[in-house]
Amino acid sequence: MTTDRASYPGVPADFPVSAITSAIGGAHPKMSLVEEDGKFYAPGTAPSEVTAAFQMCDDLVSQMVPYCQRKLATFEGDRHATVKAAFKGLLAKRWCSDAQCVWIMRRVVRELQWPVGDSALEI
């Protein structure tokens, strides 16, 4: 299923959009959909849901930047270890999807201008 990025104004093209798995009880086949403005979306992909997820993740980026700066001393200036630990902690919180956690930490690293490889962000 391809995602029409025009449906998500204000959300960067690299922000991960993925459906949330859902289940509906009963004997007959059913399909879980979200209706928004006369269109149907898989749960988690409606424009309002994606926009809310992006805003939350963008807020987490603004919180993680100073957090990583503070934690750098704990890891004796090792930026790779700092990012890896912050990433593990973010994943453990389960505030967002794993893909969104990777997106958050990539933005954090870019804003901090730390030369940290992708190995720090391996799940």
Side-chain angles (χ1 to χ4, degrees):
M1 179 168 118
T2 59
T3 304
D4 177 18
R5 287 302 192 160
S7 298
Y8 311 113
V11 176
D14 66 338
F15 185 75
V17 176
S18 56
I20 298 169
T21 304
S22 61
I24 303 171
H28 298 286
K30 296 170 186 69
M31 192 159 87
S32 179
L33 295 173
V34 175
E35 188 270 329
E36 192 170 301
D37 295 327
K39 294 182 181 179
F40 293 92
Y41 300 88
T45 65
S48 62
E49 294 172 313
V50 173
T51 300
F54 166 70
Q55 290 171 344
M56 180 197 63
C57 291
D58 193 47
D59 182 58
L60 283 171
V61 169
S62 68
Q63 294 177 52
M64 293 297 288
V65 167
Y67 175 79
C68 287
Q69 289 170 327
R70 285 191 314 272
K71 284 299 194 181
L72 188 59
T74 304
F75 293 94
E76 299 173 351
D78 185 341
R79 294 172 177 173
H80 186 273
T82 303
V83 169
K84 191 171 188 89
F87 179 57
K88 271 182 82 174
L90 184 59
L91 285 169
K93 301 277 192 263
R94 308 302 302 163
W95 289 331
C96 50
S97 72
D98 291 355
Q100 290 168 341
C101 288
V102 170
W103 181 87
I104 289 166
M105 291 310 296
R106 283 193 175 134
R107 288 267 315 265
V108 168
V109 167
R110 189 171 45 230
E111 287 191 24
L112 289 170
Q113 297 179 349
W114 288 0
V116 176
D118 278 345
S119 63
L121 304 177
E122 290 176 354
I123 297 173

